[in-house]
Amino acid sequence: MTEITHITDETFERQVLARKGTVLVDFTAEWCPPCHMIKPVLAQIADERSATLTIHTIDTDENPTAVRDYKIMSQPTLLLFRDGQLLRTLVGARSKAKLLAELDAALQG
């Protein structure tokens, strides 16, 4: 099983912005029910796409700098990066099929 790494304001640049390849960052909060709903979906995608996609999670309550910098207003918010560049912002929980379709469309475009 592929581990989804927890990152912080201090590790965000190194783990996301300076990283080559595709990275999905899940902005989440412990108190957020939709965040808990999408967690198993992200775990499945992390396993299936481990060769081409890295998934990280960041707690919005503990990391105000990233929240401010990316204007996170709702949880979960997913940010998709390629080679450190933001490609797409997805707000809210969704099914695995819908999330994969949105990720694939963003990566092809």
Side-chain angles (χ1 to χ4, degrees):
M1 180 166 218
T2 303
E3 182 180 343
I4 295 176
T5 309
H6 297 281
I7 60 173
T8 65
D9 283 339
E10 290 75 31
T11 62
F12 193 93
E13 182 171 348
R14 185 181 70 225
Q15 294 286 359
V16 179
L17 302 179
R19 187 177 205 116
K20 294 290 183 199
T22 307
V23 178
L24 183 67
V25 181
D26 172 28
F27 283 79
T28 187
E30 187 59 39
W31 50 263
C32 166
C35 298
H36 291 283
M37 291 170 49
I38 201 166
K39 193 180 233 178
V41 170
L42 293 174
Q44 290 174 4
I45 292 172
D47 278 342
E48 293 172 9
R49 303 273 178 108
S50 63
T52 58
L53 177 68
T54 301
I55 301 178
H56 297 302
T57 185
I58 186 166
D59 188 299
T60 58
D61 291 331
E62 296 174 2
N63 298 283
T65 302
V67 169
R68 180 198 65 224
D69 290 351
Y70 291 96
K71 298 172 179 55
I72 305 300
M73 303 294 286
S74 300
Q75 291 88 20
T77 294
L78 306 172
L79 300 184
L80 181 64
F81 293 84
R82 182 186 304 148
D83 298 332
Q85 298 297 312
L86 180 62
L87 295 179
R88 179 80 42 96
T89 300
L90 305 166
V91 179
R94 56 213 353 104
S95 69
K96 179 181 168 188
K98 181 171 171 104
L99 180 54
L100 284 173
E102 289 175 302
L103 293 175
D104 289 342
L107 292 170
Q108 291 175 6

